[in-house]
Amino acid sequence: RDNTLANIGRIDNWGLITLTGDWTNNSSTNAFINSSPGTTEFMGAAQTITGTTTTNFYNLTLSGSGIKTLNINTVAEGTLALNDRELATQGNWMHVTNPSTLAITRSGALNSAPVQGFVSSTGLGRLRRNTNSTGTYLFPVGSSLNTPRFRPVALKPTSAAANTFAVRFVNNDPTLDGFHITLKDANIGNVNPYWYQKINSLVGTTDPDVTLYFDNVIDNIPALPSTIMTQWAWNAPPIQWRALSTVVLGG
């Protein structure tokens, strides 16, 4: 059944709350008392997190069946356990504020089949992570639209300063979004027409090392080391795709 929090209601969760229906936060608070280290598990079929106020879960776990969908920005202060579920943020963000590299877990393998345990987004939606180390932070992003794909991104900050990064996997030709694949440096070959990643630095000034995963067969991307990582250069003419570096790891 649906679960709705109203007025100024707050929950002090030191254990496990299991939900089989949707979650609605219509209170004036972020729902959970700060730092109450409990887990909220969405274990039903297709479920939605919605309401008028952002919910700050501590540990958020997805299980059961179906897609779990965000109709509002959502926070996990401790861990986000995707298991084998898709978390569809739509145009919203899912923000994991715990800066541990282990704050996001999933049960699927890093290869593309089956596509499971990932975050999908559209528009301005993103998966956000806080970082404070030079460890590797996995952003398990993908899409069940068009050809289902799991295309994670790994960011390795070059310093242990506090940063917030955001990633969205876009499962369509970049040209459809105004990033024309025919506009490119002369020294690069064909730009991938199937998908691309949006990677943003929201807080901090640290440059991360970027690792992209892909499927050479499904994506028809040449085998390493001939593949070149490119970036849409919008802030200096000419506006086009430019070569960055060789890809450091393929799927």
Side-chain angles (χ1 to χ4, degrees), residues 69-197:
T69 303
L70 302 186
N71 284 344
I72 190 171
N73 299 331
T74 302
V75 174
E77 298 177 351
T79 61
L80 171 63
L82 297 166
N83 293 309
D84 63 351
R85 294 297 89 208
E86 174 184 353
L87 176 62
T89 75
Q90 303 187 97
N92 308 294
W93 43 255
M94 178 72 227
H95 191 170
V96 180
T97 59
N98 178 6
S100 167
T101 58
L102 304 177
I104 299 179
T105 61
R106 57 186 297 275
S107 60
L110 283 179
N111 59 23
S112 61
V115 179
Q116 58 184 12
F118 65 94
V119 176
S120 65
S121 302
T122 59
L124 297 177
R126 297 287 191 279
L127 171 61
R128 297 181 175 184
R129 295 195 70 168
N130 289 2
T131 71
N132 68 353
S133 78
T134 57
T136 299
Y137 292 83
L138 183 69
F139 289 74
V141 292
S143 175
S144 58
L145 301 176
N146 304 318
T147 299
R149 288 184 170 96
F150 175 60
R151 299 294 179 268
V153 173
L155 300 183
K156 191 177 188 301
T158 53
S159 86
N163 293 274
T164 301
F165 298 102
V167 175
R168 174 195 164 199
F169 172 70
V170 187
N171 199 18
N172 58 249
D173 188 331
T175 301
L176 297 178
D177 300 324
F179 311 118
H180 296 274
I181 62 175
T182 57
L183 302 178
K184 56 187 174 66
D185 273 346
N187 62 332
I188 63 176
N190 295 330
V191 176
N192 178 11
Y194 305 112
W195 56 267
Y196 65 102
Q197 303 278 8

Side-chain angles (χ1 to χ4, degrees), residues 7-112:
N7 301 319
I8 58 172
R10 302 194 76 187
I11 300 171
D12 192 6
N13 176 23
W14 289 73
L16 172 64
I17 297 175
T18 58
L19 304 176
T20 57
D22 297 334
W23 168 262
T24 304
N25 183 12
N26 286 338
S27 76
S28 59
T29 74
N30 58 20
F32 290 90
I33 295 174
N34 290 340
S35 300
S36 57
T39 297
T40 304
E41 180 175 1
F42 285 78
M43 58 182 299
Q47 293 172 275
T48 299
I49 297 174
T50 188
T52 57
T53 305
T54 292
T55 297
N56 283 28
F57 297 96
Y58 192 78
N59 298 323
L60 178 60
T61 298
L62 309 183
S63 62
S65 61
I67 297 174
K68 317 301 180 179
T69 303
L70 302 186
N71 284 344
I72 190 171
N73 299 331
T74 302
V75 174
E77 298 177 351
T79 61
L80 171 63
L82 297 166
N83 293 309
D84 63 351
R85 294 297 89 208
E86 174 184 353
L87 176 62
T89 75
Q90 303 187 97
N92 308 294
W93 43 255
M94 178 72 227
H95 191 170
V96 180
T97 59
N98 178 6
S100 167
T101 58
L102 304 177
I104 299 179
T105 61
R106 57 186 297 275
S107 60
L110 283 179
N111 59 23
S112 61

